[in-house]
C-alpha cells in the first residue's frame, strides 16, 4: 500500500502535467476534427459546383433553404459526397486503432507509460501538420484519410485516456482519492474538448481553415512538451515482472466475456454483458451522430456558419457536462445507478428525435436541453462513427433527419437492455457483491 505522503508527492509531480497534456491533446483533437470537416464541405462544394461556391467564404455556410431549387438539390449532392469522405476518415482512424490501442495500453505495463504517451501525441501532431500543409498547398482532399491513418496507428485519444487513467492508478490506492483524481481528469479532458469545439469556428471565420488547423497542430506540440514533465510511474522492477503476451491478453479478454468468475458466489457475466451492450449502443448513437452532425448543421434549413457551429456544439457539450457534475450526486441519493442511466437514455432519445424533425434553430436548442440530461463516458468503439456517417450519406437526399432516427433505435435497444439488467439485479439481490479493484 502507498503512504499518503507518497501519494501527495505523486499528485504534485505527476498529476498536474498529466492534466495539462490531456487538456492540450483533447483540445487539439476536436479542434482539428471540426476544422477538417468544415474544410472538406467547402472543398467538395467548390469542386462539384464551382459556380455556386465562388461566392462562399469561411465566414458563412452557403446553402439554399428552398427545397425545390437546383441549389438545394446540388447541396444534397455535396452532403452525400462529404459524408462518404467522412466515413473514409473514420475508417482510416478506427481500423488501426482497434489494434494499436490494445497493443500500446498493454505494452505500457511492461515498457512504461511515457513512451506511448509520446507516440500518441506525436502521431496526432504529424497528422495535423500534414493536414495544414494540405490546406496551404491545396493537395487532394482524399489524402486526409491517409493522414488520419497515422493518428489511428499511433493510438489516438483512446490510448491516451487508457494510459493516463493507468498513471492515476499507479500513484494512488483504490478508494475515494483515486476516484477523485480520475473524475478531475475526466473534467479536464471535457474542458479541452469544449475549448477545441469553441475556438475552431472563430479561428476559421477570422483567419481561415489552414490557420485553424495550424493552431490545433500547435496544441498537439504543447501536449508533447507537457509529457516531457511527466515522471515515469512504472518502476524497473514492475516492468520486469510484467511480461507482455498479445495472444495471452487476447485469450484473457475472450475468457472475461465467456466465463464466470469462480470466486463469485453468483453469476455476473449476464449482468456485465447486458451493461456493456447497453453502453455500446448508447455511445454508438453518440459517436454516430458526431460523425455527421457538422454536415447536418451546414445543410438546409439551418445553414450554420463555422462560428455558429462552434457556439452550438459548445453549449450542447457544456450543458451535458454541467448537468452530470451538478446532478449526479443528488440523483444517486434517491435513484439506483441503472435508473439514472435509463433517464439519460430517454433524454438523449428525445434530443435525437427533435434533431431529426427540426426545422428551426429553436428545435435544435430544445433538443440540447433534453440531451443535456444524458449521462455517459466518451469511450466507445469507433465503428459507430463509420455507421453514422454511412447512414447519413445514403439517406440525406431522402430525408436529412433519417440518420438521427436510426441512431434513436440504438438508444431504444440500450433502454431495453438496461431494463433487463435492472430486472436481473432485483432478482439476484447481488448489489452488495461490488468490491473495489486494486
Amino acid at each position: 500500500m502507498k503512504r499518503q505522503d507518497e501519494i501527495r508527492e505523486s499528485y504534485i509531480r505527476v498529476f498536474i502535467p498529466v492534466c495539462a497534456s490531456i487538456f492540450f491533446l483533447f483540445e487539439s483533437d476536436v479542434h482539428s476534427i471540426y476544422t477538417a470537416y468544415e474544410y472538406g464541405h467547402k472543398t467538395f462544394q467548390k469542386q462539384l459546383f464551382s459556380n455556386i461556391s465562388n461566392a462562399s467564404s469561411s465566414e458563412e455556410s452557403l446553402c439554399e433553404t428552398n427545397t425545390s431549387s437546383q441549389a438545394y438539390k446540388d447541396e444534397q449532392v455535396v452532403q452525400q459526397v462529404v459524408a462518404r469522405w467522412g466515413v473514409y476518415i473514420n475508417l482510416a482512424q478506427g481500423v488501426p486503432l482497434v489494434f494499436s490501442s490494445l497493443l500500446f495500453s498493454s505494452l505500457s505495463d511492461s515498457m512504461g507509460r511515457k513512451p506511448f504517451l509520446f507516440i500518441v501525441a506525436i502521431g496526432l501532431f504529424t497528422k495535423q501538420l500534414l493536414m495544414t500543409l494540405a490546406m496551404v498547398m491545396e493537395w487532394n482532399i482524399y489524402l486526409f484519410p491517409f493522414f488520419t491513418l497515422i493518428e489511428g496507428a499511433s493510438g489516438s485519444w483512446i490510448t491516451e485516456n487508457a494510459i493516463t487513467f493507468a498513471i492515476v492508478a499507479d500513484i494512488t490506492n483504490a478508494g475515494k482519492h483515486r476516484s477523485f483524481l480520475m473524475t478531475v481528469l475526466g473534467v479536464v479532458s471535457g474542458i479541452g474538448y469544449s475549448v477545441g469545439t469553441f475556438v475552431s469556428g472563430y479561428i476559421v471565420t477570422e483567419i481561415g481553415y489552414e490557420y485553424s488547423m495550424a493552431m490545433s497542430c500547435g496544441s498537439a506540440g504543447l501536449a508533447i512538451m507537457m509529457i516531457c514533465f511527466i515522471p515515469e510511474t512504472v518502476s524497473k522492477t514492475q516492468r520486469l515482472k510484467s511480461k507482455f503476451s498479445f495472444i495471452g491478453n487476447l485469450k484473457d479478454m475472450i475468457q472475461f466475456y465467456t466465463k464466470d468468475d469462480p470466486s463469485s458466489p453468483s453469476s455476473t457475466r449476464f449482468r456485465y454483458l447486458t451493461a456493456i451492450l447497453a453502453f455500446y449502443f448508447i455511445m454508438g448513437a453518440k459517436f454516430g451522430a458526431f460523425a455527421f452532425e457538422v454536415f447536418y448543421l451546414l445543410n438546409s434549413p439551418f445553414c450554420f456558419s463555422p462560428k455558429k457551429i462552434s457556439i452550438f456544439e459548445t453549449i450542447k457539450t457544456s450543458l451535458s457536462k454541467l448537468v452530470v457534475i451538478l446532478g449526479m450526486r443528488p440523483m444517486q441519493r434517491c435513484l439506483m445507478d441503472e435508473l439514472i442511466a435509463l433517464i439519460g437514455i430517454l433524454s438523449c432519445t428525445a434530443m435525437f428525435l427533435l434533431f431529426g424533425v427540426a426545422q428551426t434553430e429553436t428545435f435544435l436548442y430544445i433538443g440540447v436541453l433534453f440531451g443535456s440530461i444524458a449521462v455517459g463516458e466518451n469511450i466507445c468503439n469507433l465503428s459507430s462513427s463509420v455507421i453514422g456517417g454511412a447512414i447519413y450519406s445514403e439517406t440525406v437526399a431522402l430525408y436529412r433527419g433519417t440518420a438521427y432516427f436510426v441512431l434513436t433505435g440504438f438508444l431504444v435497444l440500450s433502454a431495453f437492455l438496461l431494463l433487463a439488467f435492472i430486472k436481473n439485479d432485483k432478482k439476484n439481490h447481488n448489489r452488495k457483491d461490488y468490491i473495489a479493484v486494486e
Side-chain angles (χ1 to χ4, degrees):
M1 297 287 285
K2 300 176 179 67
R3 300 197 314 271
Q4 290 302 314
D5 57 340
E6 292 175 333
I7 292 174
R8 176 63 183 170
E9 182 183 3
S10 297
Y11 171 79
I12 294 172
R13 296 177 54 249
V14 180
F15 190 66
I16 293 176
V18 165
C19 285
S21 68
I22 204 168
F23 168 82
F24 285 118
L25 188 132
F26 268 80
E27 194 283 334
S28 173
D29 191 27
V30 72
H31 187 156
S32 68
I33 290 171
Y34 279 101
T35 302
Y37 279 3
E38 290 161 6
Y39 174 80
H41 180 271
K42 180 189 175 184
T43 301
F44 281 115
Q45 193 178 61
K46 182 179 179 180
Q47 289 179 355
L48 295 172
F49 306 102
S50 57
N51 58 321
I52 296 176
S53 58
N54 283 337
S56 70
S57 70
S58 60
E59 296 185 6
E60 58 182 336
S61 173
L62 185 73
C63 72
E64 176 61 58
T65 57
N66 182 3
T67 57
S68 61
S69 68
Q70 185 59 44
Y72 175 85
K73 296 175 183 177
D74 291 344
E75 172 60 21
Q76 304 320 299
V77 174
V78 174
Q79 288 280 320
Q80 287 180 313
V81 174
V82 74
R84 289 195 189 103
W85 172 77
V87 170
Y88 301 150
I89 286 180
N90 286 305
L91 277 171
Q93 182 193 50
V95 173
L97 185 54
V98 171
F99 301 98
S100 62
S101 59
L102 174 62
L103 182 65
F104 294 163
S105 299
S106 300
L107 280 174
S108 71
D109 293 329
S110 57
M111 298 179 64
R113 312 294 186 198
K114 282 187 68 172
F116 298 99
L117 291 177
F118 276 121
I119 290 173
V120 171
I122 291 172
L124 185 65
F125 176 85
T126 304
K127 180 204 79 170
Q128 291 168 359
L129 178 61
L130 290 170
M131 284 188 175
T132 302
L133 292 173
M135 291 178 180
V136 173
M137 305 293 185
E138 296 186 351
W139 293 347
N140 192 312
I141 191 70
Y142 283 101
L143 287 172
F144 278 51
F146 293 99
F147 301 154
T148 309
L149 188 70
I150 298 171
E151 181 194 356
S154 64
S156 191
W157 64 270
I158 294 284
T159 303
E160 177 83 8
N161 248 5
I163 294 178
T164 51
F165 278 108
I167 289 174
V168 172
D170 291 338
I171 64 174
T172 60
N173 296 316
K176 292 183 178 180
H177 183 71
R178 177 181 293 177
S179 300
F180 173 75
L181 292 186
M182 288 185 172
T183 301
V184 171
L185 203 60
V187 170
V188 169
S189 64
I191 294 172
Y193 185 100
S194 298
V195 170
T197 303
F198 184 74
V199 302
S200 61
Y202 279 88
I203 299 172
V204 164
T205 300
E206 297 301 325
I207 53 180
Y209 296 102
E210 63 271 23
Y211 292 100
S212 181
M213 187 61 73
M215 292 190 72
S216 71
C217 185
S219 292
L222 288 173
I224 295 172
M225 290 178 59
M226 292 300 104
I227 293 169
C228 294
F229 295 99
I230 301 175
E232 180 56 65
T233 57
V234 180
S235 67
K236 292 182 179 180
T237 304
Q238 289 174 311
R239 295 179 212 176
L240 291 173
K241 289 180 180 178
S242 180
K243 294 182 179 180
F244 174 75
S245 171
F246 184 82
I247 301 299
N249 284 5
L250 192 61
K251 183 179 178 181
D252 290 340
M253 287 178 60
I254 295 172
Q255 289 182 342
F256 184 74
Y257 286 96
T258 58
K259 292 186 178 181
D260 290 322
D261 182 1
S263 63
S264 176
S266 59
S267 175
T268 58
R269 182 158 56 93
F270 171 79
R271 300 175 70 250
Y272 179 80
L273 289 175
T274 304
I276 203 68
L277 277 173
F279 182 75
Y280 175 85
F281 284 121
I282 293 168
M283 293 296 100
K286 181 175 180 178
F287 277 109
F290 181 78
F292 64 82
E293 192 155 282
V294 170
F295 310 136
Y296 184 76
L297 296 174
L298 288 168
N299 197 11
S300 173
F302 313 114
C303 300
F304 275 15
S305 66
K307 184 186 292 186
K308 213 167 188 178
I309 289 174
S310 290
I311 295 171
F312 176 79
E313 292 293 332
T314 302
I315 291 173
K316 188 177 77 169
T317 302
S318 300
L319 272 178
S320 178
K321 296 290 183 183
L322 186 64
V323 169
V324 170
I325 293 171
L326 298 180
M328 178 64 81
R329 184 61 64 183
M331 285 192 291
Q332 283 182 324
R333 291 176 181 173
C334 55
L335 296 172
M336 54 195 294
D337 291 343
E338 295 86 348
L339 286 176
I340 295 173
L342 191 59
I343 291 171
I345 291 171
L346 295 175
S347 69
C348 196
T349 301
M351 180 183 75
F352 276 14
L353 289 174
L354 283 170
F355 274 32
V357 301
Q359 298 295 328
T360 65
E361 292 179 37
T362 303
F363 269 89
L364 289 178
Y365 281 101
I366 292 173
V368 167
L369 290 176
F370 276 104
S372 64
I373 306 173
V375 179
E377 292 294 333
N378 295 327
I379 301 174
C380 182
N381 191 318
L382 289 177
S383 62
S384 55
S385 298
V386 177
I387 293 171
I391 293 171
Y392 182 72
S393 68
E394 297 304 320
T395 60
V396 63
L398 177 66
Y399 181 75
R400 55 184 177 71
T402 303
Y404 277 110
F405 299 149
V406 174
L407 295 178
T408 298
F410 280 40
L411 296 172
V412 172
L413 284 172
S414 64
F416 280 115
L417 287 166
L418 273 178
L419 288 172
F421 183 93
I422 294 170
K423 182 178 179 181
N424 179 266
D425 192 54
K426 288 183 177 180
K427 179 180 178 181
N428 293 311
H429 299 284
N430 58 355
R431 288 178 63 85
K432 294 181 180 180
D433 292 337
Y434 295 162
I435 57 173
V437 179
E438 291 284 351

